[in-house]
C-alpha cells in the first residue's frame, strides 16, 4: 500500500449549525452500485471494523463489512494482521469518545510497526467539528475520515488512499439520500437488524443524535417488507426494526400515508417468527401501534420505551414533550392491551438542575412501571446541544451516588420482573454458547430476557432454534434454566 505524509485532500468541514437546515423531505432512493474499478482493491488484504455505540452503528458496520467484502477484503479478528482498521464511532457520551481515542493511540503504535496499515474513522464522532480538529492534531495517523451520511462512498475513499496515497476527510453536514441494496455481512445468521428510518427530528436538549444523524428519513415500506421476507426465506428467525424514533416512521412521506403501525401490521403477515423494534419515543407512540402490538404472534411482547426522567420539570428542560402522567398513561394502555408485556427504558441522572426531589420522582416512576431492565446514564454534556450551556452544580460524587441509587432500584425491579418466570416454561431463541462455559447455551425469550441454560435432553440445540426452557432461577440481568423436551 502506498503511504503518504501528504495533508488531507478532500475536506468538507462539518458544521452543527448547517445540520439544522432541514428543508426538503423529498428523498431520492439510490441503488448501491460498485464501480468495477473498486472490485479487486481489497484482494489479499484483511479488514477489521471496531464498532461503538447503538444498534444503528452495528447495522452500519454490517453494511461497511458488506462493501469491503465486495471489494475483495477478508475479515480478520487479529489486530496485527489487519491492513485496514475502521473505527465506527459513537458521540452520545464523552466516555464513548474517550474509548475511541484510547484505541486510536494503541493502533497508531501498531501502525509504526506495520506502516502500510490504513486507519479509518467514521460514524457519529466526525460529524462533530471538534473531532476533526482533534484528530488532525493528535492522530494524524488516521488516513480516512468520513461521517454517517456517506458510508457508501467508502470504496472511493479506499481507492484514493490505496492507489494515490491520499489522506481523506469527507464529512457531509447535510444528510444525503437513501441507499437500497447495499451489500451486507450480518454478524448473526438468525437475527437481523433492519433499518426502517434514519435520523431524528426530536432535538432532546441533551442529545447529539439529530446533529450527527440528520433529519428523519423513512425507507419505503415495500423495500422494508421485501427485506424482511427475504430474511425469513433465508432462514432468519428474528428481525429488529431500527430507527432513532421508529414511531415517527412515515411522517416524512409526502406521497403516501403510511405509519409505523401500518408497517408492523404488514410485517405481522410475513413468515418471520419474531419482530422487535427500537427505539420508541413515548410522545409518538400512538394507539394504532399499541393495537398492532396487541396482534401478538410474531410481534414480541417487549417494549423499550426511554423515559429519561420521572420529573415533569426535568422532562420539560430535556424537551421530551411529554409529562410523567402522559408516559404512565401509555404504559397503562399497553399493559391493558398486552397483559404480559415487558418494559425496559433509558434514564439519565444528574441532568443540569436536577434536584434531589426530582431525582426521587424518577425512582418512584421506576417502581411504578416495574421495568424489567434499564440503561442508566450520568448526563454527559455534548458540545453544540442546548443543555451543554445549562448550569450544573452537581459534584461528580453526587452524580455517581444518584446513579448507584437508581441502579439499586432498577435491579430490584428487574429481579422482581424476572422472578415471575421462575418455574415457568419460556420460548428461547438459541443465540450461542456462554463465553465462560461451553456447556451452557444462551438466548433471549419473547420478552427479551437473556437466558443461560443447560441442555440435558437428547435433543440437539442449534443457533436459531426456538426451544422451550424451564426457568429454574431468576437474576436481575438474566434467567437460568434447562431445556425441556419439545414433544
Ligand atoms: N448524556 C447521557 N446520556 C445520554 N443519552 C443521550 N444523550 C445523552 C447525554 N448527553 C442517553 C439517552 C438515550 C440513550 C441512547 O442515551 O438515555 O435514550
Ligand atoms: Fe436523541 Fe431524543 Fe432523538 Fe432519542 S429522540 S435520538 S434521545 S434527540
Amino acid at each position: 500500500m502506498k503511504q503518504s505524509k501528504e495533508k488531507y485532500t478532500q475536506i468538507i468541514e462539518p458544521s452543527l449549525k448547517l445540520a439544522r437546515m432541514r428543508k426538503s423531505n423529498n428523498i431520492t432512493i439510490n441503488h448501491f452500485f460498485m464501480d468495477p474499478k473498486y472490485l479487486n482493491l481489497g484482494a489479499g488484504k484483511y479488514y477489521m471494523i471496531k464498532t461503538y455505540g447503538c444498534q444503528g452503528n452495528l447495522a452500519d458496520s454490517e453494511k461497511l463489512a458488506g462493501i469491503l467484502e465486495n471489494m475483495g477484503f477478508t475479515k480478520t479478528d487479529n489486530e496485527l494482521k489487519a491492513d485496514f482498521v475502521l473505527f465506527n464511532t459513537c458521540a452520545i457520551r464523552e466516555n464513548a469518545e474517550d474509548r475511541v481515542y484510547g484505541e486510536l493511540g494503541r493502533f497508531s503504535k501498531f501502525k509504526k510497526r506495520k506502516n502500510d496499515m490504513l486507519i479509518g474513522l467514521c460514524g457519529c464522532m466526525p460529524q462533530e467539528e471538534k473531532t476533526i480538529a482533534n484528530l488532525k492534531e493528535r492522530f494524524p495517523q488516521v488516513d480516512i475520515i468520513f461521517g454517517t451520511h456517506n458510508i457508501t462512498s467508502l470504496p472511493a475513499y479506499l481507492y484514493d488512499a490505496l492507489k494515490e496515497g491520499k489522506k481523506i476527510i469527507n464529512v457531509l453536514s447535510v444528510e444525503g439520500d437513501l441507499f437500497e441494496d447495499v451489500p451486507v455481512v450480518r454478524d448473526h445468521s438468525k437475527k437481523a437488524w433492519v433499518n426502517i428510518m434514519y435520523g431524528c427530528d426530536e432535538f432532546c436538549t441533551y442529545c447529539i443524535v439529530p446533529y450527527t444523524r440528520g433529519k428523519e428519513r423513512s425507507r419505503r415500506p415495500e423495500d422494508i417488507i421485501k427485506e424482511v421476507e427475504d430474511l425469513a426465506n433465508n432462514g432468519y428467525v428474528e428481525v429488529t426494526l431500527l430507527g432513532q424514533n421508529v414511531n415517527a416512521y412515515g411522517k416524512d412521506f409526502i406521497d403516501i400515508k403510511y405509519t409505523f403501525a401500518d408497517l408492523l401490521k404488514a410485517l405481522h403477515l410475513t413468515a418471520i417468527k419474531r419482530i422487535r423494534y427500537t427505539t420508541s419515543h413515548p410522545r409518538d407512540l400512538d394507539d394504532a401501534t399499541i393495537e398492532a402490538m396487541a396482534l401478538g404472534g410474531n410481534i414480541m411482547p417487549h417494549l423499550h420505551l426511554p423515559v429519561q426522567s420521572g420529573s415533569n420539570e426535568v422532562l420539560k428542560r430535556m424537551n421530551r414533550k411529554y409529562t410523567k402522567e402522559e408516559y404512565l398513561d401509555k404504559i397503562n394502555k399497553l399493559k391493558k392491551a398486552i397483559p404480559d408485556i415487558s418494559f425496559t427504558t433509558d434514564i439519565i441522572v444528574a441532568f443540569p438542575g436536577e434536584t434531589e426531589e426530582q431525582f426521587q420522582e424518577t425512582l418512584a416512576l421506576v417502581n411504578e412501571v416495574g421495568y424489567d431492565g434499564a440503561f442508566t446514564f450520568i448526563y454527559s454534556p455534548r458540545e453544540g446541544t442546548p443543555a451543554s450551556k445549562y448550569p450544573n452544580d452537581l459534584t461528580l460524587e453526587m452524580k455517581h451516588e444518584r446513579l448507584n441509587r437508581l441502579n439499586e432500584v432498577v435491579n430490584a425491579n428487574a429481579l422482581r420482573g424476572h422472578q415471575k418466570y421462575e418455574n415457568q416454561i419460556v420460548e428461547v431463541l438459541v443465540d450461542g454458547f456462554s463465553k465462560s462455559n461451553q456447556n451452557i447455551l444462551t438466548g433471549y425469550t419473547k420478552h427479551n430476557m437473556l437466558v443461560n441454560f443447560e441442555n440435558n435432553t437428547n435433543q440437539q440445540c442449534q443457533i436459531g432454534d426456538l426451544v422451550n426452557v424451564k426457568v429454574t432461577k431468576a437474576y436481575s440481568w438474566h434467567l437460568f434454566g434447562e431445556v425441556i423436551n419439545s414433544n
Side-chain angles (χ1 to χ4, degrees):
M1 281 182 212
K2 254 178 142 182
Q3 200 57 32
S4 155
K5 300 227 173 338
E6 205 180 303
K7 285 219 167 82
Y8 292 99
T9 51
Q10 302 177 33
I11 305 183
I12 302 178
E13 291 289 353
S15 158
L16 293 180
K17 285 133 248 154
L18 260 183
R20 267 196 180 268
M21 284 172 37
R22 302 138 87 81
K23 281 182 288 182
S24 155
N25 57 358
N26 272 319
I27 289 153
T28 309
I29 297 170
N30 301 292
H31 288 268
F32 182 80
F33 167 77
M34 178 82 81
D35 189 316
K37 80 175 177 187
Y38 304 139
L39 280 177
N40 278 318
L41 213 57
K45 295 188 175 76
Y46 290 91
Y47 78 93
M48 171 182 263
I49 303 178
K50 290 184 150 287
T51 310
Y52 300 80
C54 66
Q55 291 96 337
N57 264 13
L58 290 173
D60 280 353
S61 286
E62 292 185 343
K63 290 181 189 141
L64 289 159
I67 293 170
L68 289 168
E69 294 198 11
N70 253 257
M71 296 172 72
F73 283 92
T74 307
K75 183 180 169 184
T76 179
D77 292 326
N78 179 345
E79 296 181 337
L80 293 169
K81 197 168 162 186
D83 299 289
F84 178 48
V85 182
L86 181 58
F87 291 85
N88 189 4
T89 63
C90 169
I92 202 133
R93 281 171 293 275
E94 196 175 356
N95 55 6
E97 299 199 347
D98 290 345
R99 278 170 55 216
V100 171
Y101 285 125
E103 280 293 272
L104 278 181
R106 220 161 57 78
F107 273 86
S108 299
K109 283 190 200 126
F110 291 164
K111 193 166 165 159
K112 282 197 184 116
R113 272 185 272 159
K114 183 177 188 308
N115 70 11
D116 59 354
M117 174 191 262
L118 279 182
I119 298 181
L121 190 136
C122 64
C124 287
M125 274 173 71
Q127 296 291 147
E128 302 173 282
E129 258 164 358
K130 67 161 199 245
T131 305
I132 307 288
N134 233 335
L135 288 173
K136 281 203 277 196
E137 196 186 311
R138 290 172 56 201
F139 299 104
Q141 301 87 339
V142 178
D143 303 277
I144 300 175
I145 302 171
F146 58 102
T148 55
H149 303 308
N150 47 350
I151 65 172
T152 50
S153 301
L154 177 59
Y157 305 148
L158 276 167
Y159 185 90
D160 285 356
L162 288 166
K163 292 274 187 220
E164 295 173 27
K166 286 185 183 164
K167 281 173 160 287
I168 290 139
I169 299 181
N170 200 343
V171 180
L172 309 178
S173 54
V174 177
E175 55 285 304
D177 296 325
L178 292 187
F179 273 85
E180 290 295 338
D181 306 326
V182 180
V184 56
V185 175
R186 297 189 191 269
D187 282 341
H188 202 287
S189 57
K190 303 291 171 183
K191 300 203 298 192
W193 309 116
V194 174
N195 291 103
I196 63 166
M197 62 186 298
Y198 303 90
C200 180
D201 285 354
E202 289 294 334
F203 290 95
C204 302
T205 54
Y206 51 81
C207 187
I208 193 90
V209 169
Y211 309 94
T212 61
R213 291 269 165 186
K215 70 175 182 186
E216 287 168 358
R217 289 146 293 150
S218 304
R219 283 178 70 198
R220 303 297 293 191
E222 59 275 20
D223 291 332
I224 298 169
I225 295 164
K226 181 169 183 306
E227 183 174 348
V228 172
E229 277 169 347
D230 288 348
L231 285 164
N233 289 337
N234 286 315
Y236 279 81
V237 181
E238 180 176 303
V239 295
T240 302
L241 311 177
L242 289 184
Q244 302 297 340
N245 171 15
V246 292
N247 305 100
Y249 174 76
K251 286 193 174 161
D252 55 317
F253 292 145
I254 49 175
D255 56 336
I256 51 168
K257 217 174 152 313
Y258 198 94
T259 64
F260 180 63
D262 294 327
L263 183 66
L264 268 188
K265 285 182 195 149
L267 295 175
H268 176 65
L269 301 175
T270 63
I272 199 81
K273 293 207 176 93
R274 286 182 165 198
I275 301 169
R276 304 186 184 282
Y277 61 92
T278 197
T279 289
S280 284
H281 190 291
R283 186 190 59 153
D284 293 331
L285 182 105
D286 59 6
D287 289 349
T289 302
I290 299 176
E291 238 171 67
M293 278 192 87
L295 291 172
N298 58 0
I299 304 177
M300 294 295 103
H302 163 249
L303 183 62
H304 185 70
L305 196 60
V307 69
Q308 313 299 358
S309 167
S311 150
N312 284 340
E313 287 97 290
V314 175
L315 288 171
K316 198 160 184 199
R317 283 205 300 283
M318 287 177 162
N319 190 31
R320 290 292 288 178
K321 305 176 204 109
Y322 55 82
T323 61
K324 171 179 73 181
E325 291 74 21
E326 284 162 352
Y327 181 90
L328 286 171
D329 194 43
K330 293 201 177 173
I331 292 277
N332 289 332
K333 270 190 187 162
L334 282 152
K335 283 183 180 170
K336 216 164 156 193
I338 308 135
D340 67 334
I341 193 167
S342 150
F343 294 107
T344 52
T345 197
D346 292 344
I347 297 170
I348 297 176
V349 298
F351 186 73
E354 183 192 72
T355 63
E356 172 61 26
E357 291 71 37
Q358 290 167 347
F359 170 67
Q360 285 190 19
E361 288 186 75
T362 301
L363 297 183
L365 181 120
V366 171
N367 283 324
E368 184 160 353
V369 177
Y371 294 107
D372 291 319
F375 297 110
T376 57
F377 311 102
I378 291 177
Y379 166 71
S380 169
R382 306 284 64 213
E383 205 177 304
T385 61
S388 66
K389 297 189 193 78
Y390 300 170
N392 194 350
D393 47 19
L394 292 166
T395 62
L396 193 63
E397 201 188 340
M398 284 161 86
K399 293 175 184 174
H400 281 284
E401 194 257 348
R402 281 191 191 168
L403 184 70
N404 291 341
R405 274 158 69 204
L406 173 63
N407 285 343
E408 272 173 31
V409 175
V410 163
N411 289 347
N413 273 281
L415 181 60
R416 264 198 299 280
H418 284 81
Q419 276 168 339
K420 283 194 277 194
Y421 292 93
E422 271 180 351
N423 299 317
Q424 304 273 320
I425 292 162
V426 291
E427 182 200 86
V428 178
L429 169 56
V430 181
D431 232 5
F433 297 90
S434 155
K435 280 186 197 117
S436 50
N437 182 346
Q438 282 290 302
N439 295 324
I440 307 276
L441 294 132
T442 67
Y444 284 85
T445 67
K446 289 184 171 186
H447 296 87
N448 212 30
M449 290 171 183
L450 173 66
V451 191
N452 293 331
F453 58 99
E454 288 174 320
N455 179 15
N456 299 316
T457 68
N458 49 11
Q459 187 185 323
Q460 275 286 323
C461 283
Q462 305 208 332
I463 293 178
D465 287 349
L466 291 169
V467 295
N468 287 329
V469 171
K470 182 167 180 191
V471 177
T472 51
K473 181 107 185 93
Y475 300 87
S476 284
W477 287 88
H478 75 282
L479 299 167
F480 194 84
E482 59 194 24
V483 177
I484 56 161
N485 270 316
S486 51
N487 40 24

